[in-house]
Amino acid sequence: MGSHAVPRHRRRLLLIPAGLLLVAGFLGIPRADGAPASADACRTAAVSLPRGDCGPFWQVLAEDFNGERVPLGGFSDCDHHTDTSAAYCGGLTGRYRDNWWAYPTGWLDTANSRGRAVAGVYHPEDTVSVGRAADGDGRMTVRMWRPADGGPVHSAAVVPRAVMQMRYGKFSARIRVSRLAPGYKSAWLHYGGGCELDNPEGEWTGTLNAFSHPCGGGAQGSYPGTDDWTRWHTVSTEWTPGSVRFFVDGRETGHDTRGVPDIPLSWVLQNESALEGPGAAPGSSAQLDITWVAAYAYGWK
């Protein structure tokens, strides 16, 4: 449901009408309804950043944002080796330059290809920052906004470099929307080669969901997670050969084995203008806070 925004990448929007959801079992569409609670491989539901390997997963990124500060403007000059593991933002320094990239200024967000009246343009330089909250907690902040003159939404998609172009793995983060307004959404995803995994995805005023789009086509798997983006949630995706599992706060919300990707893909923390409901109002803004991010390779040892 989310997408990369560069014109050379093409996306589709697969919507399942409510009536079809009632007969999902007969159609073979995986659903999360009634799924039993099940901790993920790393028991990733705690408030604090998990550290260390677990099960078949080897931790390659553990970021709690408690180190150096990155003011607005740091995520700039990002048009270097785009969409590869060599990508970087020239405005960053130190470990943030080593560990993070963002979609460059000027790339169009997904709403542009959907014919939405209000669409966005990626502007990491004036939307993404890292610093301490009032309680001292380090956070990455994504504050999207629409100019008062009614121009395009300023969107943001950040990418952990450690897991760019990696096949399989585990991907976790603790997030909340701290400023809510209609017209803004997230679609954190792996996609490419006709495949896509999304977790979390949804308009921030709606439901936090996960989706699986089988490689080669077929009905999407739709997995409701929680109905409130404004509370802290720990989200995780476990992607292994022939299987993908989605978790919210340690509870398994979905599992799919159909057309699971077997090619290297990047984890994109994509935040953009809404694809459903009202567009962002002129002069409005909305904010997502990320208190930690953890990522793991699969089977490397």
Side-chain angles (χ1 to χ4, degrees), residues 1 31-33 173-177 180 184-188 198-211 222-237 246-251 253-254 271 288-289:
M1 298 266 298
R31 290 286 298 155
D33 299 354
R174 189 161 178 83
I175 63 172
R176 72 161 180 173
V177 171
L180 191 64
Y184 302 91
K185 70 165 292 184
S186 288
W188 291 19
D198 305 275
N199 185 36
E201 176 171 2
E203 274 65 31
W204 289 351
T205 52
T207 306
L208 186 155
N209 309 294
F211 297 91
S222 173
Y223 313 102
T226 179
D227 60 0
D228 188 356
W229 284 84
T230 64
R231 299 178 61 187
W232 283 108
H233 294 292
T234 299
V235 294
S236 295
T237 299
F246 303 110
F247 300 85
V248 175
D249 298 328
R251 178 177 63 90
T253 60
N271 312 281
L288 177 76
D289 297 337

Side-chain angles (χ1 to χ4, degrees), residues 31-264:
R31 290 286 298 155
D33 299 354
S38 174
D40 65 25
C42 302
R43 309 281 171 173
T44 314
V47 172
S48 58
L49 170 69
R51 293 187 181 274
D53 307 340
C54 49
F57 299 109
W58 175 32
Q59 192 169 51
V60 294
L61 176 67
E63 177 60 75
D64 61 8
F65 305 110
N66 286 326
E68 62 190 89
R69 178 175 174 267
V70 180
L72 288 177
F75 279 84
S76 59
D77 188 27
C78 298
D79 202 3
H80 299 278
H81 307 293
T82 60
D83 266 350
T84 74
S85 57
Y88 68 92
C89 296
L92 295 176
T93 60
R95 66 188 183 92
Y96 283 105
R97 180 164 175 164
D98 293 339
N99 292 337
W100 292 90
W101 177 62
Y103 282 3
T105 300
W107 284 13
L108 304 180
D109 78 8
T110 310
N112 289 273
S113 62
R114 299 291 185 267
R116 292 277 294 178
V118 179
V121 177
Y122 289 108
H123 280 279
E125 79 287 350
D126 61 20
T127 54
V128 183
S129 60
V130 176
R132 300 273 182 169
D135 63 0
D137 180 41
R139 298 174 189 172
M140 175 179 278
T141 295
V142 178
R143 177 185 172 272
M144 296 190 289
W145 55 283
R146 189 178 181 201
D149 64 7
V153 168
H154 286 220
S155 302
V158 289
V159 184
R161 293 185 63 201
V163 290
M164 291 186 74
Q165 298 180 311
M166 188 174 78
R167 184 171 64 171
Y168 309 131
K170 176 179 170 60
F171 312 89
S172 301
R174 189 161 178 83
I175 63 172
R176 72 161 180 173
V177 171
S178 57
R179 180 183 179 90
L180 191 64
Y184 302 91
K185 70 165 292 184
S186 288
W188 291 19
L189 74 166
H190 291 81
Y191 87 102
C195 318
E196 185 171 327
L197 310 173
D198 305 275
N199 185 36
E201 176 171 2
E203 274 65 31
W204 289 351
T205 52
T207 306
L208 186 155
N209 309 294
F211 297 91
S212 59
H213 302 270
C215 301
Q220 71 177 5
S222 173
Y223 313 102
T226 179
D227 60 0
D228 188 356
W229 284 84
T230 64
R231 299 178 61 187
W232 283 108
H233 294 292
T234 299
V235 294
S236 295
T237 299
E238 292 182 0
W239 169 32
T240 57
S243 174
V244 60
R245 296 180 185 273
F246 303 110
F247 300 85
V248 175
D249 298 328
R251 178 177 63 90
E252 182 178 313
T253 60
H255 178 210
D256 206 347
T257 59
R258 305 166 306 132
V260 175
D262 62 358
I263 58 176

